[in-house]
Amino acid sequence: MLRRRSFWIAAAAVAYTAFAALRASGGHGPAWLALLGLPLLLALGLRWVERPPRGEDRVEPAARRAAAVCLTGAAMLAAARSGPAGLALIALGNLGAAAAAMAALVGLARIAGLGGLLEPPPNTRRLDAAAFASLFWTVAVALPAVSAVAPERAADLDPLLVHYATSAASLGSLTVTLVAIARVRIARRIELGVADRVEAALLLTATALAVGLAAAFVGVAPPESILPVTSAVAAVCVAFCTVAADAAQVSRALRGTLAVATLATPPALLAVYAVHQAPRGDLGLRGAPQSSVGVAVFGACALCALAGLAAPALARRFAPEGARWLGAFDAATRAAMNPEPEAALEAALSALREASDAGVAGQAPPALYLLSPPERVTVDRAGYAHTEPAEVPARLIELAQIEPERVLRVEAAEAVEVRRPEVRPLLAWLAERDIGVVALVNDAEGPIGALAIPRARRASPMTLEEVSGLRAVADRLGAVIAVSAMLSGSRGREVAARREAEERAREVSRLERAVAQGAGRFRAIAALLARPARAAAYSPAARAALEQLERLGVAGGPVTLLTAPGIDAVAWGAVVHLTSPRAGGPLAIVDGAAPVPEGFAQAFAQARGAAPARDEAAAIDGSAGPPSALALWRDPDSSPIEAARGGTLLVLDAQALPSEVQSYLGAALPDDVGLVVAVPQTVDALAATGQLSERLADRLGDRAVALPSLSSRAEDLRALALDHLARIGVRLRGRPFGLDLRALQAVLDHPWPGNDAEMGAVLLRAALVAKGDVIGEKDLAAIGFAPSPEPASGADSARGEARRPRRRRADPRG
């Protein structure tokens, strides 16, 4: 970046020259405009010089400083020409022209390339051209300066010598500039960015020289006046080319300038010639009126305007290779905007094929090489895409990544193959496929392919504008391929997700059927277990017990069953389970009075890898030592709590469980497991005697139901006895047994202290000794059964007897 002090120095030099011109003109004329306007224009020019480059372009600081000096010199020349033609002003003007010319040559030697494989030759960065041009300008500045400062010493000099020196210095400087530009163009014609800038500088300098010589020839102004201006204009053009922010912009500006100069310069020069050659009063055309001068000028302006309208068409003709590839790249980029990825790819390759010489003289068509999967995509003349397996050398991708715009040109690789042997196999691969340039195709993750353009019959290297256009096509194709891959991946994921969803739906349906079947099986098993409690519940005691159990089951809390000896607590616990919210879950039954809860010893023997023992109690007495009861309940593989998940845990004789198991059961029972316990006494009584853990007692609460004994179910005895005999008969003989009247009366009169267990045993023994299908009184007597009116001993029997109502004798008529 230029410093502010540099601007003030340059502005002071320009202001000094303008002030000298103003003083020489006596305070009149355009010198005032130069004094006020040129510093402002210089500030704008220096600010333009400081603009950062665009894209991958680079501008060296030395080139920026040289451009600033060039603009300062041109401004000094303009300020000097705003005054009368004096020796001092001629010296200041020549000094400004010399500074502009030499600064332009310095900037030319400091043009920065875009990097990559190519490096600038060392001879193109020397300042010998600027030094040689300084020799011309030294004489052109010294002669008028000495004549102005010491006129007595320059009295013998011919006054025309100053003009000759100025003209010679201008022509010599222009010639040196043209030679230096031509040398740089030959040496660095392959470097991207440099070739565009140097080509523009050469053509603009040649154009300025041609216009200046033509103007001097037709007498627009004397050579000593117009040639320094021509030199300064050429120097500013070179400086513009060296520090422009975008080299491609330089090429476009060059084409427009050349088109306008080609069309507008001839009529403008003819008009100027006519005006200068016409004497006062006519044009020398045998008395032509003076108004004809105005007509000539007006005609020249009209022709220049028409030239401006036709300039764009002519500018396209100045484009590289007749703008063929630039148009193709633009067309390919527009074609790749198709929302359908496959159609966009085909349209882009078709547009590139039309611009190439594909199909003529065996030229290969443009191709898109994909890295994964390794494929080569081309388009035929009909616009149909063809895909074939092909691999791209990894070295090609590596070199293309470090090249400007990620575009690898064959001419650049050929220029370095002598000093970089690793490029030779890559050149052979490119030559075999007639590829002239390769553009790397990237997505967000990195390289995904390469766009190859055939070499065809191209005569000149690619310009930066063309490379930028090819880069735009490659970027667009990268976006198209990325979208196509995303759509393909999305489609694949959609298909996979749909397939997985269908599989999961089938699995869910299967599991739902399995759960429904399991729940049905659980309900069926629980209903089978609950049948003895519901089979003959006609008595008020049985009905009240059932209603209370169903109500507590619906509530879902723990339920305590107060049982007398021989009562089937499992049937009544199954009733609670069937009416609970967990009726579809399992009903796990644990007998607390057993040595070890059923299934525990077998599960732990298998967990230890031992062979299952026939006797589970013996299995836990082995050499390994029995596991603790609490460990058995905590083990997730054999714990009854885990077995009852989603259902009900029925514990018979809960007071017989170890105290630590009772505490664990009261604290660790999850919410998805219902609890039903059967105990012989109330919870408070068992807790008071220490038979029941306080924690379990708190968990059970006061939700207790006393199960009715047979002594309190006089209305149910006949139905219960017939139900037992029917099932016994079906199991033993395939048909139900019956009872005669005397046997039935004996059953009704017996108090049944053993409740369900005693009745079942008596009836089974009687059925075994019976000869027919009806059990009589003699069959009961044969097994030693005799009705006893005495109540059974024990507190429970006494309680049950106290609750039993008086019975009626059986009616022999049924």
Side-chain angles (χ1 to χ4, degrees):
M1 303 294 289
L2 296 179
R3 293 177 297 180
R4 184 178 300 179
R5 185 177 61 180
S6 302
F7 164 72
W8 289 115
I9 294 175
V14 174
Y16 175 79
T17 306
F19 184 76
L22 182 63
R23 183 178 180 181
S25 61
H28 304 286
W32 279 107
L33 296 177
L35 181 61
L36 299 177
L38 285 179
L40 180 60
L41 294 177
L42 181 62
L44 296 177
L46 295 183
R47 186 173 182 180
W48 177 86
V49 168
E50 296 177 2
R51 292 187 308 164
R54 298 178 184 176
E56 298 184 2
D57 276 342
R58 293 185 298 176
V59 178
E60 291 189 5
R64 294 185 186 277
R65 291 192 292 269
V69 174
C70 180
L71 293 178
T72 304
M76 288 180 61
L77 176 62
R81 292 301 175 90
S82 65
L87 292 176
L89 292 179
I90 292 176
L92 289 174
N94 289 350
L95 179 61
M102 290 186 292
L105 292 174
V106 172
L108 182 66
R110 295 294 182 265
I111 294 180
L114 300 185
L117 293 174
L118 299 176
E119 297 178 359
N123 60 342
T124 60
R125 300 183 65 84
R126 294 184 303 193
L127 302 178
D128 52 353
F132 193 66
S134 66
L135 298 178
F136 294 101
W137 286 109
T138 300
V139 177
V141 173
L143 282 179
V146 171
S147 299
V149 174
E152 65 280 357
R153 296 185 179 182
D156 297 335
L157 294 178
D158 189 353
L160 296 177
L161 188 59
V162 174
H163 301 309
Y164 293 154
T166 301
S167 301
S170 301
L171 289 175
S173 176
L174 287 170
T175 304
V176 170
T177 301
L178 286 174
V179 173
I181 295 175
R183 184 182 65 178
V184 175
R185 179 177 180 274
I186 294 173
R188 306 181 67 178
R189 63 189 298 266
I190 304 177
E191 292 186 56
L192 285 178
V194 176
D196 298 82
R197 296 177 187 274
V198 174
E199 184 80 15
L202 178 62
L203 293 177
L204 290 175
T205 302
T207 302
L209 178 59
V211 172
L213 291 177
F217 178 77
V218 299
V220 173
E224 64 273 10
S225 298
I226 200 169
L227 290 181
V229 175
T230 302
S231 176
V233 170
V236 171
C237 291
V238 173
F240 163 77
C241 295
T242 57
V243 299
D246 187 1
Q249 182 184 8
V250 174
S251 298
R252 292 189 291 269
L254 169 66
R255 292 196 296 271
T257 302
L258 291 180
V260 172
T262 302
L263 296 175
T265 300
L269 291 177
L270 288 176
V272 172
Y273 175 76
V275 171
H276 277 265
Q277 293 297 323
R280 292 185 178 274
D282 59 41
L283 285 172
L285 298 175
R286 296 182 179 179
Q290 187 176 1
S291 61
S292 298
V293 175
V295 173
V297 172
F298 179 79
C301 292
L303 291 177
C304 290
L306 295 176
L309 295 177
L314 183 60
R316 286 193 292 270
R317 301 299 302 173
F318 289 139
E321 297 288 332
R324 175 166 56 92
W325 281 108
L326 289 176
F329 294 150
D330 291 340
T333 303
R334 290 192 301 270
M337 297 292 181
N338 194 308
E340 182 63 32
E342 300 296 334
L345 182 61
E346 292 180 0
L349 292 178
S350 297
L352 295 177
R353 183 186 178 97
E354 292 177 2
S356 68
D357 292 333
V360 179
Q363 295 294 337
L368 176 63
Y369 289 86
L370 301 178
L371 301 183
S372 179
E375 294 177 345
R376 177 176 179 264
V377 182
T378 57
V379 173
D380 57 19
R381 291 184 177 180
Y384 295 101
H386 300 275
T387 303
E388 58 183 356
E391 293 188 0
V392 178
R395 188 60 178 168
L396 175 66
I397 303 300
E398 295 175 3
L399 291 180
Q401 284 182 316
I402 64 174
E403 279 293 285
E405 302 289 347
R406 295 197 299 270
V407 176
L408 177 63
R409 297 163 297 143
V410 170
E411 58 262 21
E414 290 175 346
V416 299
E417 66 174 329
V418 175
R419 65 175 184 271
R420 300 189 65 170
E422 70 274 10
V423 179
R424 297 171 190 170
L426 182 60
L427 282 173
W429 186 87
L430 295 173
E432 182 181 354
R433 291 158 180 78
D434 194 26
I435 296 176
V437 60
V438 175
L440 200 60
V441 179
N442 285 8
D443 64 359
E445 302 297 330
I448 59 174
L451 178 61
I453 304 298
R455 197 163 191 173
R457 295 195 299 264
R458 189 180 183 92
S460 61
M462 291 188 69
T463 63
L464 179 59
E465 190 175 4
E466 292 175 294
V467 170
S468 299
L470 181 58
R471 164 74 178 276
V473 176
D475 289 344
R476 184 58 192 171
L477 290 181
V480 169
I481 296 173
V483 170
S484 178
M486 290 174 59
L487 292 177
S488 177
S490 177
R491 176 60 180 171
R493 289 190 296 271
E494 179 185 359
V495 172
R498 185 175 300 173
R499 187 182 299 111
E500 183 179 0
E502 293 175 355
E503 293 177 356
R504 292 194 175 185
R506 289 193 294 268
E507 182 66 14
V508 168
S509 178
R510 184 187 67 80
L511 292 176
E512 288 178 349
R513 290 194 300 270
V515 170
Q517 293 174 359
R521 287 194 297 269
F522 289 142
R523 290 179 182 273
I525 294 173
L528 182 63
L529 294 175
R531 186 180 180 280
R534 296 182 181 275
Y538 305 112
S539 63
R543 293 304 307 166
L546 282 176
E547 291 176 1
Q548 190 174 3
L549 291 176
E550 290 174 352
R551 185 174 64 255
L552 293 176
V554 171
V559 178
T560 303
L561 304 179
L562 302 179
T563 64
I567 295 179
D568 186 8
V570 173
W572 299 93
V575 171
V576 177
H577 171 70
L578 286 174
T579 57
S580 70
R582 295 173 286 272
L587 175 61
I589 303 173
V590 175
D591 188 359
V596 177
E598 297 178 3
F600 282 8
Q602 185 80 2
F604 269 78
Q606 294 176 357
R608 291 197 303 265
R614 181 176 300 177
D615 186 4
E616 294 180 352
I620 65 171
D621 291 332
S623 60
S628 66
L630 183 58
L632 296 173
W633 278 80
R634 284 179 173 177
D635 183 67
D637 296 329
S638 58
S639 173
I641 296 177
E642 295 297 328
R645 286 280 184 179
T648 303
L649 176 63
L650 173 60
V651 182
L652 305 177
D653 295 320
Q655 80 284 353
L657 292 173
S659 60
E660 65 272 13
V661 174
Q662 295 181 25
S663 298
Y664 178 76
L665 183 60
L669 191 71
D671 294 336
D672 61 341
V673 177
L675 178 62
V676 179
V677 298
V679 292
Q681 301 179 29
T682 62
V683 173
D684 293 338
L686 294 174
T689 58
Q691 300 181 61
L692 197 65
S693 168
E694 291 289 343
R695 184 172 293 176
L696 181 57
D698 293 340
R699 184 66 178 263
L700 294 175
D702 57 354
R703 291 176 291 273
V705 177
L707 300 182
S709 62
L710 292 184
S711 60
S712 63
R713 300 175 62 185
E715 294 85 355
D716 301 336
L717 290 179
R718 180 177 180 274
L720 286 173
L722 293 178
D723 181 69
H724 277 295
L725 289 174
R727 287 187 281 120
I728 292 172
V730 171
R731 286 198 299 269
L732 295 179
R733 299 182 182 181
R735 54 188 182 276
F737 282 107
L739 278 173
D740 62 10
L741 293 179
R742 291 184 177 275
L744 177 60
Q745 188 62 47
V747 170
L748 295 177
D749 291 339
H750 189 66
W752 300 108
N755 293 300
D756 299 320
E758 182 184 0
M759 177 180 284
V762 168
L763 295 178
L764 176 60
R765 287 162 54 203
L768 291 175
V769 300
K771 302 300 182 183
D773 294 338
V774 178
I775 296 176
E777 189 176 15
K778 62 179 181 178
D779 297 323
L780 295 176
I783 63 172
F785 175 79
S788 175
E790 297 296 332
S793 60
D796 185 71
S797 297
R799 184 174 66 250
E801 188 67 18
R803 294 196 302 265
R804 184 174 62 185
R806 181 176 297 177
R807 304 191 190 127
R808 295 178 300 169
R809 294 184 62 87
D811 188 356
R813 295 172 295 182

